[in-house]
Amino acid sequence: MARIVSPYGTWPSPVDAALVAAHDGKPEYPGAVGEELWWTEPRPGEGGRRALMRRKADGGPARAALPAPWNVRNRVLEYGGHPWAGVPRPAGGPLIVFTHAGDQRMYAFEPDAPGGPSPVPLTPVGTVGDGLRWCDLRVLPGRGVVWAVLEESTGPGPADVRRVPVAVPLDGSAAGDRSAVVELTDDRHRFVTGPRISPDGRRAVWLAWDHPRMPWDGTELKIAAVTPEGLPADVRTLAGGPGEAIAQAEWAADGSLLVVTDRSGWWNLHRIDPETGEAVNLCPREEEFADALWKIGTRWFAPLPDGLVAVTHGQGSLRLGILDPVTCELTDAPGPWTEWAPALAVQDTRITGVAGGPERGWEVVQLDTATGHTLVVGAGHRDPVAPAYCSPPAERVFAGPGGREVFARVYPPCHPERTAPDGELPPYVVWAHGGPTGRFAAVWSLETAFLTSRGIGVVTVDYGGSTGYGRAYRERLRGQWGVVDVEDCAAVARALVAEGAADPARLAIRGGSAGGWTAAASLVSEAAGDLYACAAISYPVLDLAGWTAGSTHDFESHYLETLIGPPEEVPGRGAERSPVNRADRVRAPFVLLQGLEDAICPPEQCERFLAAVAGRGVPHACLTFEGEGHGFRRAETIERALQAELALYAQTFGLERNDVPHLDLRP
């Protein structure tokens, strides 16, 4: 059948905003509890809660273990950390502990208890500042405790906080008594991960770091003896430091200590001698075996009982491989999953993780190393629309300023029944990711198809500073935030124009969080000039003076010392680059989308930017959302935000559509 000819951007699409919202998010935190598998899943239609899923040993379908409003999530570092743990028991079913987003307390429950599960609190309600938060839980049943990381507010400000590894009694005695929580170490370090105990129970290791470093700048590997009373003693630094980022540490079944460190310039897997700290690279490659540690409890590798190690590795994307640490042989898992999230669980020869690919959304996948077979065990991908509406990406390397490499993925307009008139070029939207120390995952996305199926191209840019391409690429952004990211996105957009792939008059840029900064900075930067016709800016950083200690959350409160430079060395640089101080350069229409409970990029940032733009004749709109924080979770919010973004493109690009609500763009 011949395709209907109609202009780019006007094509009808079955991918509406409600459909995108209903499929937002991905499974997280898979774990093995005996022969059972557990993980969390998003529920956008249930207020954005995270449901705790259970797949029993009989292999039946996974079901939510707790009804709404139970929300298995926490706010440690504001981005959250591993929120649950469990152990099998000889009788009565497993014991599960988890953190609940509603009050940030830790709870225990028995899913097979007579009468149904009834969670019991294990920790008290915090009464100071943001209270008590817990993550990276480990149940030690023989000792009757849960080891975890405690994030404790000590005052009203975001910087009034301490973090320490703790032991929480399983008997509930700490539910009303903070003093019953045993601190395993002192709080000399600002940030810590949860301790990992050696197979013989005699040693424990964890990671620590301090301001102004972020965990991808440098961390320390701590090791301690474990006393008969179950407390770490004789704590010392075994490896790491300001210029070495250790992302994860685990004990293998034979008692050897494995870590992922970037001491070679790439995050590679090493074996470290627990006595001397001497390290051996088990698979030297110019590939990453880890990524940025944004959430405590992240797991990029997992030792197997037989001595093999499940690893994620690659450049740009992380695929699953099985590494033989003796021969250095690395064998990749079969199947269409080209991207594996850092969330691996092991049951004998079986490895379970969260994986996806260009033609498959995120799903829970299991590989059996004994047979080589893989199968989907939960949250299986289903095509809500015909695949022909979803544009496959083209992996590209573009030339940035000075010829530097810029990695990107191009998603051209895609429709099985429509084509554009001869000679017409499509509009394109440049996507800048958050972080900024992060990257895009090449996984099937309805959010991308929302635009490409309508005839609007998308290009996702892993600009300099992104993870996935080694430490040198990651450090391109040192002192250059608002410069390198802006230049790289602009270089990609101009290259698409030069190739005849994109309409130079219909380019847009969009991003959230740090990507929102890049989008806004692009509107005021000489490097981008008048390249973009409009911008969609979500929960952004707009004023660096309001993104420092005391103004944003503690985790990122010193991030600017690497992204911009130490303030005593480069005074005024932050103010010079902040979009709020360059609002006189904004000429393109834009929409701001902001959650009113955002502790990372507070709404005041948007308010100051809007005040600076007011009266300058620039059409713009701002939508705010009650009950939303940093990143949108509720279906109704996601739907409204997407509609507003599409309306901005339609009105700016002159697209004639009857399915787009009007967006009131006022000067």
Side-chain angles (χ1 to χ4, degrees), residues 393-441:
E395 303 270 354
R396 296 287 305 275
V397 181
F398 293 91
R404 67 184 184 229
E405 291 183 326
V406 182
F407 298 92
R409 296 182 181 91
V410 180
Y411 299 79
C414 179
H415 199 292
E417 299 174 355
R418 299 282 169 152
T419 189
D422 289 342
E424 183 184 0
L425 297 175
Y428 257 84
V429 181
V430 176
W431 287 18
H433 63 70
T437 309
R439 64 180 176 86
F440 283 106

Side-chain angles (χ1 to χ4, degrees), residues 20-39:
V20 177
H23 290 81
D24 186 71
K26 68 179 182 182
E28 288 185 310
Y29 304 115
V33 183
E35 288 298 305
E36 298 185 357
L37 288 172
W38 293 64
W39 63 86

Side-chain angles (χ1 to χ4, degrees), residues 231-391:
L231 299 177
D234 303 321
V235 180
R236 61 189 174 94
T237 298
L238 184 63
E244 179 182 357
I246 299 174
Q248 182 189 346
E250 302 282 349
W251 297 96
D254 64 359
S256 59
L257 179 57
L258 304 177
V259 304
V260 172
T261 170
D262 69 350
R263 60 174 54 188
S264 69
W266 296 82
W267 271 309
N268 280 187
L269 186 67
H270 290 65
R271 182 190 295 114
I272 287 191
D273 187 316
E275 299 295 338
T276 66
E278 182 181 352
V280 176
N281 194 334
L282 298 178
C283 190
R285 291 191 179 195
E286 289 192 347
E287 292 186 1
E288 302 283 44
F289 286 65
D291 211 297
L293 181 62
W294 284 97
K295 297 182 178 182
I296 295 174
T298 301
R299 202 177 194 200
W300 288 277
F301 73 89
L304 279 71
D306 61 6
L308 299 177
V309 185
V311 298
T312 58
H313 71 103
Q315 278 200 39
S317 296
L318 294 178
R319 55 193 181 275
L320 179 66
I322 306 301
L323 174 66
D324 185 331
V326 176
T327 65
C328 296
E329 183 180 355
L330 181 59
T331 304
D332 285 340
W337 305 281
T338 55
E339 183 82 62
W340 287 72
L344 301 179
V346 170
Q347 295 166 299
D348 195 18
T349 61
R350 291 162 291 163
I351 303 154
T352 302
V354 176
E359 298 179 355
R360 300 187 72 88
W362 294 107
E363 49 195 351
V364 183
V365 181
Q366 186 174 88
L367 164 69
D368 191 331
T369 60
T371 65
H373 294 158
T374 54
L375 72 156
V376 176
V377 296
H381 172 80
R382 298 290 184 273
D383 288 321
V385 297
Y389 288 99
C390 302
S391 178

Side-chain angles (χ1 to χ4, degrees), residues 5-61:
V5 177
S6 53
Y8 284 117
T10 67
W11 301 346
S13 172
V15 185
D16 61 18
L19 185 67
V20 177
H23 290 81
D24 186 71
K26 68 179 182 182
E28 288 185 310
Y29 304 115
V33 183
E35 288 298 305
E36 298 185 357
L37 288 172
W38 293 64
W39 63 86
T40 70
E41 282 186 16
R43 292 288 185 269
E46 298 178 18
R49 80 178 183 107
R50 299 287 306 189
L52 184 60
M53 306 299 293
R54 178 188 190 187
R55 186 178 188 264
K56 294 185 178 181
D58 61 12

Side-chain angles (χ1 to χ4, degrees), residues 62 101 109 133 174-175 180 211 220 234 389 475 572 575 584 593 597-598 619:
F109 82 105
R133 302 171 179 176
H211 288 316
E220 296 178 24
D234 303 321
Y389 288 99
E475 292 188 343
D584 59 312
L593 306 167
E597 296 182 10
D598 193 336

Side-chain angles (χ1 to χ4, degrees), residues 489-513:
C489 287
V492 170
R494 290 189 175 111
L496 291 176
V497 169
E499 294 172 1
D503 185 343
R506 295 189 294 176
L507 296 173
I509 187 167
R510 63 103 79 170
S513 189

